[in-house]
Amino acid sequence: MGKAGGGDLPYSQPRRTRLTVVSRKIALDSLKQEIREHIELETEENIERGMPPDAARIAALRKFGNRTLVLEDARSVWFPVWLDQLLQDARYGVRTLLHNAGFTSVVILTLALGIGGNTAIFSVIDGALLHPVPFPDAGRLVALYQKTPRDQRNAVSYPNLLDWQRQSKAFEGIAGVRNSGFTLTGYGAPRQLMGLMVSSNFFSVLRTEPLIGRVFTEKEDQRGGTPVALLGEAFWKQQFNADRNILGKTLQLNSRAVTVIGVVPASVRLDRARGTLFNDIFTPIGQNDSDLFYHRGAGDNTQGLGRLKRGVTLAAARVEMNTITRNLAAQYPVDNADVGANLVSYQEEITGNLKPVMFALAAAVGIVLLIACANVANLFLARSASRSQEFATRLALGAGRGRLLRQLLTESLLLSLAGGCLGLTIASWFTKAALAVLPTALPVISEVRVNAHVLWFALAISLLTGILFGFAPALKAGAANIQTMLREGGRNISGSRREWRYVLVIAQVALTAMLLINAGLMMRSLSNLWKVNPGFDVANVLVFHTSLSAGRSSSPAKIRESLHELNERLKSIPGVESASVEVGGLPLEGNSTIAFSREGEAMNSKSMRMANFYAVSPEHFSALGIRLLRGRAFTDRDTSKTPPVIVIDDDTARRMFPGGEAIGKHLHNTLTDSLAEIVGIAGRVEQAGPDADRTAKDRAQFYFPIAQVPDAILPLVSNGLNAVVRSHVATSTLTGSIRATLAKFDSERAVFGVEEMSDIVGASLASRHFYLLILGAFAVTALILSLVGIFGVVSYLVNQRTNEIGVRMTLGAQPGDILFATIREGTAAGLLGIALGAAGAAALTRLLGTLLFGVSPVDAPTFAAAAILLFMLTALACYLPAQRAVRIDPAKALRCG
């Protein structure tokens, strides 16, 4: 061996431990430069010998080609030893895993299920909870509502909103937002569009720009402004094939000519209509042509959306808005008495009560991953036992135990990374499938997809999983005795390894029991919800929405005439039993509220209560199948020229008139602004669903004749009509008849939102269906993984104890004894796991508290059913390999020893 300074190549014997990273790179660069200089010198000499330049160059490269071997020696100068060893471990691990293709495939598939499920749920959590608002600097966005002592989240009256905009100093801007329907004509049949009426500063508040064109100006955002509109991206592409020449063209919206000035990105979506989004069209909110909209006491579905100035906290903005609303209450005592402002972080507004649900699903899918890890760890323990002679030989030849430990961890990491790659594919499919099954379970503006955050999460969880399932087997292999492993040759199994396997089985069963119990509770909750009487008959009922054109709504008298004619036309459709045209609330589809008080009580905010109101046609109760308990329904004689009448629900009757008869009494209300006589008592309708919040349940329910709606409110009525039709005719046939009838009645207006009431009821439970589907899928996956794990462990133990079983049978043990002992050993672990799982489930169910209905989080029948099912399946998983044990030939078993 030459010294470091001797020979033609002084770097051929590097002393790695003494060289720094800088000196190594310098040495390598110097070596490369020396080779280049030799090649250039040889090329010049070849040219002087008369060789052509190209041939001279090729000859020089050939002569010094062997010198490139110097680069291989130089590699040791800069290539770290640990990295070289790691690559060796990786190459050896890949060869080993490919040699055991069956084992490798099972492990990768098992891990892919666990990692894929976790990644899919994380993509939902990331889109719905961590980054729910797809607008820049979303943390400064604030939702603004009016609040009263009766309700904390009321619509904002437009005059109040304008005062908030002018007087607030805490916000960069406050915009008004109001969803609305628009009828597009001039492109074939009338088409209903769902859109938003917004303030001119709406897009600056969101920090978003149009794809093409411009946004509204302040002059356009006021009454009498130039009629303009922005198209939503999806509608622009669908209706106009993404034509960029759409700017400046005129559209007929609600019988009014408006000019298109821009296209809004599809990401601008703040609200969801049934089956679609409110982002087809955008118009200036200040051009609303309803006089009631500009009344300070009317909110008319308007919400405020503001952006805080930098450095201003939400608490400081609340203090300022409280001052502003107190001043407005003093300035306008009639309309603004006790009216305050409620400011809510927009991110919290979007996520709502989704956090406990998402965390519960994350816990469930995390449990599946732990079960998968336990399964794979068991497989690794079995495999490491079969490789004991290999490990012993490597240790005997001088391999360090740390190197052996690292080799096994490298193999587990390779498997987890492969499982992670396959899991990403599963996650992508699962996420798309979940969104297709139930898009309404998530916030409307959230973007759930596999993005950079999800990819980093998948990588992290893959590495963590590899360490988690590979650590125990690697540790056992590294701590094993060489002589024992060489002597046993992998034929027998030590008591400690058996205990390790049973610990993993117990963990698997416990985690599976937790998922099964929670899925069972969700199933019982859903069953209880379906049994609740909604207060109306959903069978054979169809609902739809429409509006009246300008010609049909030119005056209050014309509107009343049109409403009556429309109702009569619907009743005349063949097969229709009853029909009702109405406004206000519709069960499970939204509500409209008014304030009321008893006769003789003062009309102020302290004494008045809130009620859901329904302005309906005479056949409303028969059309929806609502029971009329006492009194009468409305008739055609209840008109605008007769005294106001009202029907209330039975719960309100009992609360308002305890111990007395409500029929004939009078209630003052803000809809008719007069006393209305109670002429009927109807059954209570589950307006917001059987599990709605108590606020909605405590509201009274008032029914008014639609013919008695005041003239001032009729323009709003004409823009949003509901219709309920009861018929035994097939839905497709009835829908066609309704469209044909409405086309003859008003050719400028569209029919939209046609649905069966049974579908609406089902949609109200859709989120619970979704959570049950997810929990059920995870529970079944966990059950399969656990049973496979139990079967594999018992089978492996039977194989390892073949010699022992042969000896016992030779000494007189009966097959039944062997069978019972084998099953007992596995089921004992299963029982302990079930007990631990039940205890864990009692804690986990607290996360599902908001989703449970009519069932206790520690419901004994559910816990017992899950425990019995899991025990029976555990016993079955133990019985199958135990059957093989009793069929062992003692003579062959002894020869195996």
Side-chain angles (χ1 to χ4, degrees):
M1 302 288 288
K3 294 183 179 180
D8 294 333
L9 298 173
Y11 341 96
S12 59
Q13 297 293 333
R15 290 173 295 183
R16 306 179 199 174
T17 57
R18 297 183 184 179
L19 290 176
T20 64
V21 173
V22 175
S23 65
R24 291 170 182 172
K25 189 175 186 305
I26 291 173
L28 180 58
D29 291 341
S30 298
L31 175 60
K32 291 179 179 178
Q33 184 60 32
E34 180 185 347
I35 294 174
R36 291 193 193 99
E37 291 173 357
H38 279 291
I39 292 173
E40 293 298 329
L41 184 60
E42 183 66 18
T43 301
E44 292 175 2
E45 291 177 357
N46 289 340
I47 292 175
E48 291 176 359
R49 296 187 188 105
M51 296 178 65
D54 291 342
R57 181 75 175 178
I58 293 172
L61 289 172
R62 286 176 178 172
K63 181 175 180 180
F64 287 92
N66 61 340
R67 286 293 187 95
T68 58
L69 297 175
V70 174
L71 294 176
E72 295 298 323
D73 293 333
R75 179 176 178 274
S76 62
V77 175
W78 60 270
F79 202 74
V81 177
W82 64 268
L83 185 56
D84 193 30
Q85 292 178 345
L86 181 61
L87 289 177
Q88 291 177 20
D89 290 340
R91 287 193 296 269
Y92 180 78
V94 169
R95 289 197 303 269
T96 302
L97 294 175
L98 290 177
H99 183 68
N100 297 272
F103 166 83
T104 303
S105 300
V106 171
V107 170
I108 290 176
L109 282 173
T110 302
L111 291 176
L113 286 174
I115 295 173
N118 271 272
T119 304
I121 291 298
F122 179 78
S123 70
V124 176
I125 292 175
D126 179 70
L129 292 182
L130 302 181
H131 303 91
V133 182
F135 305 119
D137 205 2
R140 293 196 287 132
L141 290 176
V142 178
L144 296 94
Y145 299 93
Q146 285 186 180
K147 68 177 181 179
T148 65
R150 299 182 302 272
D151 202 335
Q152 293 295 299
R153 296 196 177 189
N154 291 312
V156 183
S157 75
Y158 190 62
N160 282 344
L161 180 74
L162 294 177
D163 284 328
W164 291 2
Q165 289 176 335
R166 287 190 289 263
Q167 299 180 32
S168 174
K169 305 300 182 185
F171 290 90
E172 290 182 4
I174 297 176
V177 183
R178 178 183 183 275
N179 59 43
S180 185
F182 303 86
T183 303
L184 174 69
T185 54
Y187 292 88
R191 176 176 176 178
Q192 187 70 18
L193 304 180
M194 310 307 293
L196 296 176
M197 304 181 75
V198 300
S199 300
S200 59
N201 64 340
F202 170 76
F203 298 99
S204 64
V205 166
L206 291 185
R207 292 286 189 274
T208 188
E209 296 289 338
L211 295 176
I212 59 173
R214 63 174 179 86
V215 298
F216 308 129
T217 64
E218 290 186 9
K219 284 188 176 181
E220 290 167 342
D221 186 25
Q222 55 186 324
R223 298 186 87 172
T226 303
V228 290
L230 291 158
L231 306 183
E233 180 182 1
F235 170 64
W236 172 54
K237 290 179 178 179
Q238 181 188 62
Q239 181 72 42
F240 301 103
N241 199 26
D243 181 10
R244 302 181 71 88
N245 295 320
I246 190 68
L247 301 181
K249 291 188 176 180
T250 300
L251 303 180
Q252 290 292 323
L253 291 178
N254 291 350
S255 304
R256 184 186 187 194
V258 300
T259 303
V260 177
I261 63 172
V263 175
V264 178
S267 59
V268 180
R269 52 185 192 278
L270 304 187
D271 205 354
R272 188 193 308 274
R274 181 77 69 181
T276 185
L277 303 169
F278 283 101
N279 66 349
D280 291 333
I281 204 88
F282 298 80
T283 62
I285 194 171
Q287 292 189 15
N288 193 319
D289 55 4
S290 168
D291 290 334
L292 188 63
F293 180 72
Y294 300 93
H295 190 283
R296 193 171 291 273
D300 195 23
N301 199 33
T302 302
Q303 177 189 339
L305 182 64
R307 178 176 287 275
L308 293 171
K309 290 182 178 177
R310 291 194 180 278
V312 177
T313 64
L314 185 59
R318 284 172 175 154
V319 171
E320 181 195 66
M321 289 302 299
N322 287 337
T323 302
I324 293 174
T325 53
R326 281 197 300 269
N327 293 338
L328 290 176
Q331 189 174 357
Y332 306 100
V334 176
D335 295 320
N336 275 19
D338 294 325
V339 172
N342 182 16
L343 278 62
V344 183
S345 166
Y346 195 61
Q347 291 196 140
E348 293 182 10
E349 172 82 355
I350 292 302
T351 57
N353 60 352
L354 203 60
K355 288 184 179 179
V357 174
M358 288 292 104
F359 289 148
L361 291 181
V365 76
I367 287 173
V368 173
L369 179 63
L370 289 176
I371 294 172
C373 288
N375 237 359
V376 174
N378 258 328
L379 289 171
F380 258 70
L381 281 171
R383 184 166 174 266
S384 65
S386 65
R387 296 174 65 187
S388 58
Q389 278 197 316
E390 174 198 337
F391 299 153
T393 302
R394 294 179 64 182
L395 290 171
L397 292 175
R401 292 183 182 272
R403 181 68 183 275
L404 185 61
L405 180 69
R406 190 175 64 200
Q407 173 64 51
L408 291 176
L409 284 175
T410 299
E411 292 180 15
S412 65
L413 286 172
L414 287 172
L415 285 170
S416 65
L417 289 174
C421 291
L422 180 58
L424 272 176
T425 303
I426 294 176
S428 178
W429 173 84
F430 180 82
T431 302
K432 292 177 181 178
L435 294 177
V437 170
L438 192 70
T440 57
L442 303 174
V444 63
I445 70 172
S446 61
E447 294 182 342
V448 176
R449 53 194 174 89
V450 179
N451 54 23
H453 301 114
V454 177
L455 291 176
W456 278 112
F457 175 82
L459 176 61
I461 200 171
S462 297
L463 294 174
L464 179 63
T465 301
I467 295 172
L468 190 63
F469 75 74
F471 181 75
L475 192 63
K476 296 295 292 181
N481 183 275
I482 299 176
Q483 294 181 350
T484 302
M485 287 194 295
L486 288 172
R487 183 174 60 251
E488 292 182 352
R491 291 191 303 268
N492 297 315
I493 184 169
S494 66
S496 62
R497 279 188 181 157
R498 187 182 307 171
E499 291 171 2
W500 265 98
R501 290 194 178 88
Y502 276 120
V503 167
L504 292 173
V505 166
I506 291 169
Q508 284 179 297
V509 174
L511 294 171
T512 302
M514 293 170 65
L515 284 183
L516 279 178
I517 290 170
N518 280 276
L521 290 172
M522 280 295 301
M523 190 177 297
R524 288 205 61 190
S525 295
L526 197 59
S527 175
N528 291 339
L529 284 167
W530 275 113
K531 293 176 183 177
V532 172
N533 180 10
F536 55 92
D537 183 9
V538 303
N540 305 315
V541 175
L542 200 70
V543 300
F544 66 90
H545 311 282
T546 188
S547 59
L548 299 179
S549 64
R552 286 276 185 180
S553 56
S554 56
S555 67
K558 192 69 172 176
I559 293 174
R560 296 184 196 283
E561 179 185 336
S562 297
L563 293 176
H564 179 74
E565 181 184 347
L566 175 59
N567 205 89
E568 292 301 312
R569 284 177 177 266
L570 291 175
K571 288 164 57 178
S572 66
I573 294 176
V576 170
E577 299 174 7
S578 54
S580 173
V581 175
E582 56 188 69
V583 293
L586 192 64
L588 305 175
E589 282 222 315
N591 58 274
S592 298
T593 59
I594 58 171
F596 74 96
S597 61
R598 284 182 293 198
E599 184 177 9
E601 292 181 338
M603 286 290 292
N604 56 56
S605 59
K606 293 183 179 179
S607 64
M608 298 188 75
R609 302 164 181 83
M610 298 302 294
N612 292 328
F613 83 86
Y614 317 86
V616 301
S617 298
E619 292 188 357
H620 172 79
F621 300 103
S622 60
L624 264 181
I626 299 174
R627 293 180 303 144
L628 195 63
L629 304 178
R630 297 189 299 281
R632 69 172 178 87
F634 304 130
T635 68
D636 290 335
R637 292 188 296 275
D638 297 313
T639 68
S640 59
K641 302 184 183 305
T642 60
V645 293
I646 187 176
V647 172
I648 65 174
D649 69 289
D650 56 336
D651 282 359
T652 303
R654 283 192 295 269
R655 289 199 303 266
M656 300 299 296
F657 306 99
E661 178 56 65
I663 302 292
K665 300 291 194 304
H666 292 77
L667 293 175
H668 196 290
N669 66 87
T670 55
L671 178 68
T672 61
D673 197 23
S674 63
L675 286 172
E677 180 186 356
I678 301 173
V679 296
I681 308 296
R684 178 80 181 182
V685 171
E686 296 289 352
Q687 167 67 27
D691 59 337
D693 62 272
R694 283 309 321 173
T695 301
K697 283 182 173 294
D698 290 341
R699 285 180 184 155
Q701 294 178 353
F702 286 4
Y703 300 88
F704 298 89
I706 195 170
Q708 291 188 344
V709 172
D711 289 354
I713 300 177
L714 282 176
L716 298 179
V717 170
S718 64
N719 288 330
L721 295 175
N722 308 321
V724 180
V725 176
R726 177 174 291 278
S727 171
H728 286 285
V729 177
T731 301
S732 58
T733 303
L734 181 60
T735 301
S737 299
I738 290 173
R739 293 188 186 280
T741 299
L742 266 292
K744 294 178 181 178
F745 168 74
D746 194 338
S747 61
E748 297 182 10
R749 285 297 181 263
V751 174
F752 63 98
V754 180
E755 284 187 288
E756 294 184 31
M757 184 57 75
S758 57
D759 292 336
I760 295 175
V761 173
S764 70
L765 303 177
S767 60
R768 280 185 164 81
H769 275 292
F770 177 72
Y771 302 136
L772 176 60
L773 177 66
I774 299 297
L775 274 179
F778 290 155
V780 171
T781 302
L783 183 61
I784 293 172
L785 289 174
S786 292
L787 295 178
V788 169
I790 295 168
F791 176 84
V793 167
V794 176
S795 297
Y796 180 76
L797 293 178
V798 168
N799 291 337
Q800 292 294 315
R801 297 167 62 186
T802 299
N803 181 255
E804 173 194 336
I805 294 172
V807 172
R808 292 178 62 187
M809 294 181 72
T810 302
L811 295 176
Q814 297 299 314
D817 298 333
I818 301 296
L819 180 68
F820 178 74
T822 306
I823 295 176
R824 181 183 59 192
E825 196 170 4
T827 53
L831 282 173
L832 180 57
I834 290 171
L836 293 174
L844 183 61
T845 50
R846 306 297 177 186
L847 294 175
L848 292 176
T850 57
L851 291 177
L852 299 182
F853 180 83
V855 60
S856 167
V858 289
D859 181 60
T862 304
F863 275 64
I868 292 171
L869 173 64
L870 188 52
F871 176 77
M872 292 175 62
L873 293 175
T874 300
L876 178 63
C878 295
Y879 174 79
L880 297 176
Q883 276 286 84
R884 292 205 309 271
V886 301
R887 291 197 296 267
I888 291 176
D889 185 344
K892 293 182 179 179
L894 291 174
R895 285 198 297 273
C896 290

